[in-house]
Amino acid sequence: MTHNTPEFDVIARHFTRPAPNAVLGVGDDSALVQLSRGMELATSVDTMVSGTHFFPDVDPENLGHKALAVNLSDMAAMGAMPYWALLALTLPKVDHDWLAAFAKGFFDLAEEFGVSLIGGDTTRGPLTLTVTIMGEVPAGAALRRGGAKVGNDIWVSGFIGDAALAVAHRHGKLVLEEADYREAVMRLYEPTPRVPLGQALRGLATAAIDVSDGLLADLGHICKLSGVGATVELASIPLSPIAAKHAGTDAGRSAIVAGGDDYELCFTAHPNSRESIQDLTRMLDVPLTRIGQVKRGKGVSLLGPDGKAVKIDGRGFDHFSAP
Ligand code: ADP
Ligand code: MG
């Protein structure tokens, strides 16, 4: 293929930037990176499909941010340092204004976290974005899902539920005031990946996950892999002022505990680590809240203010579950 085709035009105009932390970036058959001694390669991939993961009318700059943010969030959840990303783009057509805005959202966030785009693929078809992220974590120190122990505390960062409330509003399941919707939808489109927090939790957290599919579902993944159960106190889940207005309704409550897309970290830690974890709140300026306890047994129970189990509709997002 010669270099003046639309495909190469897209790559050259929008996705070829210096990659200071790579040996070789965009342009060859493969990128090259040098791993540091004593480090493991942490890598993961996430696909976002139009209509499934984002509304088709999404602002392309927000989308560029989000496509990378969800991957940075996976690095955060492992306690890894993200360095390199690959972007596979499937586009219905070439729209340079759209691509320029998408690239701005992507590269602004990449620069903030010192990540280089080192390669990708560009194809035609229904709008789909796949980002592969790679980073490093000291050998043996990654935060896995399987390390939670009975008696550990359960923590979450930030506030839970705003992104899912925006989705519930779009789907007509509840109604947010206009200003609240505008704020909540930014949490949906421009989540803040908790990368510094993830790294700071190495040696403190016994298990960690990022909240992408829903708080209860994601905590359930920790429980399953750790062979434990968990209780979460509904009243202790940290809520923004917006979410607090809806926590009393069934639809609001289910968005908060079972909706996803917050990209906060949920982690477990020994009670002896409480002070060190609270210190991180100040050092990193991220709220960290204890929401429950790891128990013997299986599954996650949600407890109401009276200590009784609360039933919730829906337990998180699953692409292949029956509607
Ligand atoms: P190949 O034919 O080996 O698949 P391509 O022609 O698809 O290579 O891509 C040429 C170069 O451009 C490669 O280095 C590839 O990694 C890079 N590339 C293609 N699409 C993108 C993209 N959307 N973002 C970043 N790099 C890309
Ligand atoms: Mg290719």
Side-chain angles (χ1 to χ4, degrees), residues 30-220:
S30 140
L32 298 170
V33 301
Q34 175 75 57
L35 297 180
S36 317
R37 261 181 107 83
M39 304 297 267
E40 287 166 353
L41 176 70
T43 182
S44 87
V45 60
D46 259 303
T47 293
M48 296 183 23
V49 179
S50 179
T52 301
H53 297 91
F54 54 91
F55 299 113
D57 64 355
V58 61
D59 175 321
E61 190 175 332
N62 292 160
L63 190 61
H65 175 107
K66 183 152 184 180
L68 182 59
V70 301
N71 283 276
L72 291 175
S73 179
D74 284 323
M75 291 286 105
M78 295 304 284
M81 291 167 284
Y83 290 129
W84 310 288
L86 298 154
L87 169 66
L89 260 184
T90 303
L91 302 167
K93 61 178 191 303
V94 172
D95 173 344
H96 286 292
D97 291 339
W98 191 96
L99 282 162
F102 175 86
K104 180 174 191 321
F106 187 97
F107 284 111
D108 282 356
L109 187 65
E111 262 162 45
E112 188 182 332
F113 286 96
V115 168
S116 296
L117 182 67
I118 60 168
D121 202 19
T122 306
T123 53
R124 184 172 184 157
L127 182 60
T128 305
L129 317 161
T130 298
V131 174
T132 300
I133 189 98
M134 291 182 289
E136 291 186 340
V137 62
L143 306 176
R144 303 182 183 205
R145 294 179 179 183
K149 298 278 183 301
V150 174
N152 280 180
D153 295 323
I154 300 166
W155 297 77
V156 288
S157 64
F159 300 110
I160 297 295
D162 290 348
L165 284 167
V167 174
H169 173 93
R170 284 286 299 248
H171 289 156
K173 293 191 175 143
L174 48 78
V175 179
L176 299 185
E177 288 163 34
E178 205 185 306
D180 286 356
Y181 173 70
R182 263 183 279 131
E183 206 177 316
V185 88
M186 287 318 289
R187 296 282 319 272
L188 178 66
Y189 287 137
E190 297 220 337
T192 305
R194 299 299 190 188
V195 174
L197 174 63
Q199 288 168 43
L201 286 174
R202 291 197 303 250
L204 282 175
T206 51
I209 192 166
D210 62 325
V211 179
S212 57
D213 293 337
L215 179 61
L216 297 185
D218 288 319
L219 178 56

Side-chain angles (χ1 to χ4, degrees), residues 2 6 18 26 58 68 77 99 106 147 163 174 211 226 235 266 279 302 313 316:
T2 58
V26 168
V58 61
L68 182 59
L99 282 162
F106 187 97
L174 48 78
V211 179
S226 300
C266 175
D279 287 345
L302 186 65
D313 286 346

Side-chain angles (χ1 to χ4, degrees), residues 156-315:
V156 288
S157 64
F159 300 110
I160 297 295
D162 290 348
L165 284 167
V167 174
H169 173 93
R170 284 286 299 248
H171 289 156
K173 293 191 175 143
L174 48 78
V175 179
L176 299 185
E177 288 163 34
E178 205 185 306
D180 286 356
Y181 173 70
R182 263 183 279 131
E183 206 177 316
V185 88
M186 287 318 289
R187 296 282 319 272
L188 178 66
Y189 287 137
E190 297 220 337
T192 305
R194 299 299 190 188
V195 174
L197 174 63
Q199 288 168 43
L201 286 174
R202 291 197 303 250
L204 282 175
T206 51
I209 192 166
D210 62 325
V211 179
S212 57
D213 293 337
L215 179 61
L216 297 185
D218 288 319
L219 178 56
H221 295 319
I222 287 186
C223 288
K224 195 158 188 212
L225 280 174
S226 300
V228 295
T231 55
V232 169
E233 285 151 40
L234 184 57
S236 64
I237 297 174
L239 302 178
S240 71
I242 298 170
K245 291 186 199 170
H246 297 270
T249 68
D250 283 348
R253 200 180 308 120
S254 109
I256 289 162
V257 301
D261 277 311
D262 292 307
Y263 297 97
E264 294 296 346
L265 295 186
C266 175
F267 57 96
T268 57
H270 193 278
N272 288 347
S273 305
R274 282 179 193 172
E275 243 177 79
S276 314
I277 291 171
Q278 292 297 2
D279 287 345
L280 294 181
T281 292
R282 286 184 288 275
M283 280 162 52
L284 302 173
D285 197 23
V286 181
L288 297 171
T289 309
R290 259 189 300 129
I291 60 164
Q293 223 98 53
V294 178
K295 304 276 185 190
R296 250 173 251 292
K298 271 211 273 205
V300 181
S301 344
L302 186 65
L303 304 181
D306 55 2
K308 292 206 184 103
V310 181
K311 283 283 270 180
I312 293 292
D313 286 346
R315 282 242 147 176

